[in-house]
Amino acid sequence: MTDTKQLFIEADQTQLFQNWDGLSREDQQTLLSNLEQISSKRAPAKLLEDCQNAIKFSQANSSNDAVVDVQPLPHTSYESLIGNGDKEDEYHQVGLEAIGKGEVAVILMAGGQGTRLGSSQPKGCYDIGLPSKKSLFQIQAEKLIRLQEMVKVNKVEIPWYIMTSGPTRAATEAYFQEHDYFGLSKRQITFFNQGTLPAFDLTGEHFLMKDPVSLSQSPDGNGGLYRAIKENGLIEDFDKRGVKHVYMYCVDNVLSKMADPVFIGFAIKHGFELATKAVRKRDAHESVGLIATKNSKPCVIEYSEISNELAEAEDEEGLLKLRAGNIVNHYYLVDLLKRDLGQWCETMPYHIAKKKIPAYDSATGKYTKPTEPNGIKLEQFIFDVFETVPLDKFGCLEVDRSKEFSPLKNGPGSNNDNPETSRLAYLRLGTSWLKDAGAIVKDGVLVEVSNKLSYGGENLSQFKGQVFDKNGTTLEK
Ligand code: UTP
């Protein structure tokens, strides 16, 4: 018996070989080589142990008997941009200077499977219905192009690292190639893959098969970013390019401010090693993760983890005490990554997600497409490392939701966070910039302002006094 087969049998995974004799020689080899790819990264027994630990961890968390003290971040870690224009300008200058020195890189997380959206393409290729028909990737690329122009002192190419996964890699790379990198230089873009993990049955004791020759696998969650940074040598690349600050964002937010100078300036000015943006919670019961402290350590706490009383508590200004809604938009100091990344990869917990996972049963030769959850996927959460950062090195910047956050999660016609809400948020923001610049936009009219023309509302004075009375207009550079 081969070593690989032996390893899986010793880990009690005989279900994978129920039909071994019925497989052709070639299929037997394919199965073994697929299994070896998995076991070469982590022994099957270790993967099963991780799953058992994750099940226990989720049970311990849901029993809620540990005493936890949840508080808002202290003022030294928390600042709002809302009504704080002077600070915004100050941070903007600091951030732009760092970009000009070539010290800022962008990491995009685009490895998710976008199951709720239900598109066959990666999410970044999605056309949210703008008059220009631009995809999310194109919009993001154009923001970088404009930002590079805004840095007047030097010609800079902001490095853009795009994290994909098995399911999204090939299509993402092909999409960028087909569109000639949207006008960016090919050398500033690096694709890298996050890891995948096998899926388990509901007991967590067995791997699920996808077909006769492979296990069912899925990306290891947004927390897989850290291992992916490590395993793909990004830190070495940062050093080569002189990168000191990293801006990280999610592919599905059409309003994300690529390499946001304000956010970077905020972190630099305060000496934060890790910072995160937040939007103000809409109301006490909006179901959004909250950036807060747990037993005096920075954390993201799920809405379901806090009592009604705490969710509704107000501060002396009459604002919700816990109002920092998490939008998964981070700043990392490269020195922090150099110091702590290895440790994070070793110690981050896995979380379980019970899912409907199409599976193959090698005993019966049947495929199932379950209607109820039949298995477990393991995921890591990107914010689980927050607690390792000292509070005085952790910052949170509250930003205006209408300017910075409109995620694309669900398909057309769904209740919220869908292509229509993304389209509207994008058009409304561009239109508000035009109005601020003195253009006359008739009521009900929405204009698309290309980010190649304006990154954040600047550069639009040429439209002062111009009348816009038709929907469907795109202002291009
Ligand atoms: P979501 O958690 O909303 O997942 O990802 P998703 O894949 O986009 O959508 P669903 O849940 O399957 O419907 C938020 C961001 O995190 C990235 C996504 O690409 C998106 O930018 N992500 C998520 C990863 O890069 N890898 C993962 O394993 C999970």
Side-chain angles (χ1 to χ4, degrees), residues 109-116 123 163 194 219 221-222 250-251 409:
M109 285 204 298
Q113 290 174 294
T115 17
R116 286 167 289 171
K123 242 189 210 184
M163 184 174 84
Q194 70 178 112
N222 60 17
C250 294
V251 72
K409 298 288 181 196

Side-chain angles (χ1 to χ4, degrees), residues 307-355:
S307 64
N308 264 346
E309 198 189 349
L310 186 55
E312 288 167 5
E314 293 181 356
D315 65 10
E316 57 288 350
E317 291 173 71
L319 297 170
L320 290 173
K321 253 174 113 172
L322 293 175
R323 58 176 178 278
N326 179 27
I327 61 171
V328 198
N329 196 174
H330 300 166
Y331 160 89
Y332 297 93
L333 181 71
V334 170
D335 279 345
L336 168 77
L337 298 176
K338 284 185 183 169
R339 196 183 66 215
D340 288 353
L341 195 70
Q343 172 77 0
W344 291 347
C345 294
E346 293 309 310
T347 55
M348 274 177 84
Y350 287 97
H351 300 262
I352 60 167
K354 293 189 179 165
K355 301 262 180 178

Side-chain angles (χ1 to χ4, degrees), residues 252-254 405-410 416-418 421-422:
D252 53 10
N253 179 16
V254 67
F405 187 57
S406 181
L408 176 63
K409 298 288 181 196
N410 305 308
N416 56 19
D417 297 343
N418 54 35
T421 53
S422 300

Side-chain angles (χ1 to χ4, degrees), residues 341-402:
L341 195 70
Q343 172 77 0
W344 291 347
C345 294
E346 293 309 310
T347 55
M348 274 177 84
Y350 287 97
H351 300 262
I352 60 167
K354 293 189 179 165
K355 301 262 180 178
K356 298 174 219 160
I357 305 171
Y360 170 79
D361 182 343
S362 77
T364 60
K366 286 204 175 115
Y367 288 87
T368 43
K369 228 179 164 213
T371 50
E372 293 300 319
N374 62 323
I376 289 176
K377 288 185 177 180
L378 291 188
E379 294 174 326
Q380 289 186 314
F381 292 168
I382 194 161
F383 53 71
D384 275 338
V385 305
F386 285 6
E387 64 174 43
T388 67
V389 180
L391 204 43
D392 62 339
K393 297 289 173 199
F394 183 90
C396 179
L397 186 65
E398 183 192 64
V399 298
D400 184 337
R401 191 189 285 246
S402 66

Side-chain angles (χ1 to χ4, degrees), residues 40-284:
S40 63
K41 294 202 186 102
R42 216 164 327 163
K46 173 76 178 94
L47 285 164
L48 291 153
E49 186 189 320
D50 285 342
C51 187
Q52 290 306 322
N53 287 338
I55 293 172
K56 280 188 214 130
F57 182 69
S58 93
Q59 284 159 350
N61 275 353
S62 60
S63 72
N64 253 347
D65 35 7
V67 182
V68 274
D69 177 28
V70 177
Q71 296 288 339
L73 286 166
H75 291 300
T76 42
S77 284
Y78 189 76
E79 200 165 287
S80 179
L81 279 189
I82 298 169
N84 208 351
D86 290 348
K87 278 273 178 222
E88 186 167 348
D89 291 346
E90 183 190 338
Y91 295 150
H92 183 86
Q93 278 317 319
V94 176
L96 214 53
E97 214 172 284
I99 294 171
K101 287 194 261 173
E103 293 177 352
V104 175
V106 174
I107 293 184
L108 162 61
M109 285 204 298
Q113 290 174 294
T115 17
R116 286 167 289 171
L117 182 63
S119 159
S120 57
Q121 284 280 85
K123 242 189 210 184
C125 308
Y126 202 85
D127 164 9
I128 55 171
L130 293 171
S132 67
K133 306 243 167 283
K134 283 177 192 170
S135 64
L136 295 173
F137 281 139
Q138 179 165 1
I139 293 166
Q140 292 162 16
E142 293 187 350
K143 287 183 194 186
L144 276 186
I145 290 173
R146 171 69 194 149
L147 191 57
Q148 291 176 172
E149 261 175 30
M150 286 161 71
V151 180
K152 300 216 176 66
V153 277
N154 290 321
K155 188 169 165 14
V156 284
E157 284 179 355
I158 301 169
W160 190 11
Y161 297 87
I162 301 180
M163 184 174 84
T164 49
S165 59
T168 61
R169 174 62 176 266
T172 304
E173 226 174 319
Y175 188 75
F176 272 78
Q177 266 163 21
E178 273 158 35
H179 292 86
D180 213 5
Y181 302 90
F182 305 104
L184 288 164
S185 126
K186 185 179 174 200
R187 64 175 176 260
Q188 78 188 96
I189 300 178
T190 306
F191 297 96
F192 67 106
N193 266 10
Q194 70 178 112
T196 49
L197 287 168
F200 304 80
D201 66 7
L202 284 175
T203 66
E205 287 169 7
H206 302 106
F207 298 121
L208 291 179
M209 295 186 88
K210 184 175 96 179
D211 55 42
V213 293
S214 38
L215 298 192
S216 170
Q217 294 198 76
S218 57
D220 52 6
N222 60 17
L225 172 69
Y226 301 120
R227 192 178 287 277
I229 290 179
K230 184 165 174 257
E231 290 182 353
N232 290 284
L234 261 60
I235 303 279
E236 292 75 17
D237 208 54
F238 294 156
D239 271 348
K240 252 193 253 149
R241 298 186 196 228
V243 171
K244 297 191 172 138
H245 313 279
V246 172
Y247 171 92
M248 187 289 300
Y249 74 105
C250 294
V251 72
D252 53 10
N253 179 16
V254 67
L255 301 185
S256 186
K257 293 178 73 184
M258 303 283 289
D260 181 9
V262 175
F263 187 42
I264 290 157
F266 162 74
I268 293 176
K269 199 80 200 174
H270 293 281
F272 293 135
E273 294 181 342
L274 198 162
T276 174
K277 282 192 190 181
V279 295
R280 195 172 288 185
K281 217 173 149 185
R282 283 203 177 101
D283 58 68

